[in-house]
Amino acid sequence: MKKIITLVALVFFSVSTFAQTQWTVDPYHSSLNFNISHSGISIVNGKFLDYTGSLTTKGDALNDAIFDFTVKIESINTHVEDRDNHLKSADFFEVEKYPEMTFKSTKISATEKSNQYILKGELTIKGVTKDVVFDVHYGGKVKNNQGEKLGMKAETTINRFDYNIDYDPTATGVGKEVNIVIHLQFAKQ
C-alpha cells in the first residue's frame, strides 16, 4: 500500500511540475512601440494598435516560456495620418500584400541579473523571417479581483533592410535601425 501511495504522489508531482499555464496579452495594458531616426537629427516614434499574443509558461519562471504574436500592420500609428498611409504603402510595409507581422519564440533563458531574460525568436515582416533577440525585463505577477496578471518589457533593434523595407536605401532620411520597445501585460487564462 505504501508503494502505491508513493507512486501516486510521484505521478501527481510529475504532472504538476510539467503543467503549463496559458496567458493572453491584455491590449489595454500593453503597447508595441518603435522609433527610428529621421534625417539623422531626430527620432520618429510610432506604435501598432491591433495585435494578439499568447504566452505559455511552465511554473513560475519564464524559462522555457513560449511566445506567439501577430500584429496587424494596418494599425500603425505615428500620429501623422499622411506618414501612416505612406508606411502602409509599397514603399514600406506593403500592407495590402503583407497585412501582418508575426513573432514566434524559439528560446528564452535567464541571465545572471535578477528578472532579466534573453528571448530569441523568429520575426516575420513582408514575408521575410529573421532571427531576433530581445532583452526582457520580467516585472512579475500580481493577483487581484481581475485575475492573475504577468508583466514584462522587451527591447530589440532590427535593420529594416533585412525585411525588404528599403525605401531611402541610403538611410539619410529614414534610418535603417528600428528600435522596438514592447510593454506587455498578460492575463492568465
Side-chain angles (χ1 to χ4, degrees):
M1 186 66 170
K2 251 186 183 179
K3 287 182 181 180
I4 292 174
I5 293 173
T6 303
L7 180 62
V8 169
L10 283 172
V11 168
F12 179 78
F13 178 73
S14 296
V15 170
S16 65
T17 300
F18 295 107
Q20 295 181 339
T21 304
Q22 299 296 321
W23 305 82
T24 301
V25 73
D26 176 357
Y28 297 111
H29 299 100
S30 301
S31 62
L32 275 59
N33 312 285
F34 64 88
N35 64 66
I36 189 167
S37 172
H38 183 260
S39 299
I41 60 170
S42 64
I43 300 292
V44 171
N45 294 301
K47 58 186 166 183
F48 292 93
L49 301 174
D50 188 4
Y51 50 88
T52 57
S54 66
L55 169 64
T56 304
T57 58
K58 297 177 185 174
D60 286 336
L62 288 181
N63 286 334
D64 301 319
I66 300 168
F67 293 80
D68 190 352
F69 270 80
T70 300
V71 179
K72 303 287 186 185
I73 303 294
E74 181 72 30
S75 72
I76 197 166
N77 184 335
T78 64
H79 301 290
V80 177
E81 186 177 352
D82 287 343
R83 180 172 49 218
D84 294 347
N85 290 334
H86 190 203
L87 289 169
K88 295 173 193 177
S89 76
D91 284 344
F92 288 92
F93 285 105
E94 203 170 351
V95 74
E96 288 193 24
K97 186 173 181 181
Y98 304 102
E100 297 177 341
M101 78 170 98
T102 61
F103 174 79
K104 296 187 185 313
S105 65
T106 55
K107 182 177 182 178
I108 186 166
S109 52
T111 68
E112 293 178 5
K113 295 180 180 178
S114 178
N115 296 322
Q116 301 293 320
Y117 292 82
I118 300 295
L119 172 62
K120 297 179 180 181
E122 296 176 335
L123 178 63
T124 301
I125 303 173
K126 287 185 74 171
V128 177
T129 302
K130 296 284 183 181
D131 292 334
V132 294
V133 177
F134 282 90
D135 293 317
V136 175
H137 172 77
Y138 176 57
K141 292 181 190 174
V142 65
K143 201 173 202 176
N144 58 31
N145 59 353
Q146 297 174 346
E148 192 169 351
K149 306 284 182 147
L150 177 149
M152 68 185 68
K153 175 183 177 184
E155 298 181 78
T156 195
T157 300
I158 63 170
N159 181 337
R160 68 182 174 93
F161 296 134
D162 289 345
Y163 297 93
N164 295 329
I165 301 174
D166 49 14
Y167 178 81
D168 185 14
T170 62
T172 54
V174 179
K176 70 176 184 177
E177 292 188 340
V178 181
N179 300 309
I180 300 169
V181 180
I182 304 170
H183 300 276
L184 296 170
Q185 188 174 110
F186 290 91
K188 186 176 182 180
Q189 297 304 294

